[in-house]
């Protein structure tokens, strides 16, 4: 009777241990997949923001040209020539593009790193559960052997 209870207990521990380990592996893969999807979406958002910047730059260029080309519009002394203003606008949009690209790349890298960290945490939790399950199984077997020998298990 005691042997069958120990065998059932060891069997249940083994099943629990294996299912926990496999669940951790599955969660690890899911974390990596989610991080890759977040990185892909961040890349799309950055690309769209860059496209919007291009449109804004084109609009600003057209507005600046229209303002200077309009009848009777003259540049003020502090404003500079139309070429200087256009060059300044181009430089500002260049800075904004660079910042947008850098932030987008950083967000992609951060998403991927968080995914790797989560995947590692799940994976190592699976190993810890596996080790704990094995220790429990060995303890149950040792307790049974002590019981059979007439000693009281600890």
């Amino acid at each position: 009777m005691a042997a069958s209870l120990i065998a059932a207990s060891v069997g249940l521990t083994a099943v629990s241990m294996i299912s926990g380990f496999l669940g951790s592996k599955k969660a690890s893969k899911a974390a990596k997949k989610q991080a890759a999807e977040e990185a892909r979406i961040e890349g799309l958002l950055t690309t769209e923001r860059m496209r919007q910047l291009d449109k804004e730059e084109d609009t600003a260029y057209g507005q600046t040209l229209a303002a200077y080309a309009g009848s009777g519009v003259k540049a003020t002394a502090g404003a500079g020539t139309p070429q200087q203003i256009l060059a300044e606008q181009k430089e500002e949009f260049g800075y904004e593009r660079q910042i947008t690209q850098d932030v987008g790349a950083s967000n992609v890298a951060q998403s991927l790193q968080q995914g790797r960290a989560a995947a590692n945490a799940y994976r190592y939790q699976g190993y810890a559960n596996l080790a704990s399950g094995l220790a429990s199984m060995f303890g149950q077997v040792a307790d049974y052997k002590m019981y059979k020998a007439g000693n009281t298990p600890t």
Side-chain angles (χ1 to χ4, degrees), residues 11-34:
L12 288 174
T13 300
V15 168
S16 174
M17 177 182 66
I18 291 168
S19 68
F21 181 73
L22 293 176
S24 294
K25 281 185 75 172
K26 207 175 212 182
S28 175
K29 286 180 183 178
K32 286 180 182 178
K33 187 175 179 179
Q34 179 182 353

Side-chain angles (χ1 to χ4, degrees), residues 44-63:
L44 292 173
L45 290 172
T46 300
T47 299
E48 178 57 22
R49 180 63 184 134
M50 296 297 290
R51 192 181 72 74
Q52 290 296 324
L53 282 172
D54 287 342
K55 287 174 72 175
E56 290 173 19
E57 184 177 18
D58 289 345
T59 300
Y61 179 82
Q63 289 172 344

Side-chain angles (χ1 to χ4, degrees), residues 65-123:
L65 285 181
Y68 277 98
S71 63
V73 176
K74 295 184 179 180
T76 59
T81 67
Q83 290 83 8
Q84 289 171 327
I85 292 173
L86 291 172
E88 187 177 308
Q89 284 177 348
K90 186 173 185 76
E91 183 178 350
E92 288 298 318
F93 276 102
Y95 289 143
E96 193 165 347
R97 268 193 202 87
Q98 187 61 51
I99 290 169
T100 300
Q101 286 176 335
D102 291 348
V103 168
S106 175
N107 289 344
V108 166
Q110 188 177 29
S111 291
L112 292 173
Q113 181 59 35
Q114 287 173 345
R116 282 190 295 269
N120 285 339
Y122 287 128
R123 190 172 74 238

